[in-house]
Amino acid sequence: MVGAALKPTGTPLKPADVAPKPPAVASPCVDICRLDPQGLCIGCRRTLGEIAEWSQASDARRLEILSALKART
């Protein structure tokens, strides 16, 4: 096992040993998912495109989206 991550005891790490890292920028979703006539979600005010890209967006992009939401309210 060359290059494998090891626990302090010297045994290899298993997937269960590594906790998933939570996203640094949380989603603004409030589970009210309907689009208004302008194409904005009535719950979080994101566009359908912004909602679709959120899961793959970098933290920097997520912050851009959140900034745009402030101007929409």
Side-chain angles (χ1 to χ4, degrees), residues 25-58 61-73:
V25 180
S27 171
C29 181
V30 294
D31 292 327
I32 304 173
C33 306
R34 286 188 224 75
L35 298 180
D36 69 11
Q38 290 76 39
L40 299 175
C41 175
I42 64 170
C44 67
R45 306 302 292 161
R46 290 180 292 172
T47 66
L48 190 57
E50 290 166 342
I51 293 167
E53 78 173 285
W54 188 267
S55 65
Q56 300 298 314
S58 67
R61 175 62 181 137
R62 289 178 178 192
L63 291 172
E64 289 175 5
I65 294 169
L66 292 177
S67 180
L69 298 182
K70 293 175 186 174
R72 295 178 190 160
T73 56

Side-chain angles (χ1 to χ4, degrees), residues 1 4-14 17:
M1 291 195 123
L6 300 176
K7 294 181 185 179
T9 60
T11 58
L13 286 174
K14 299 176 198 158
D17 294 328

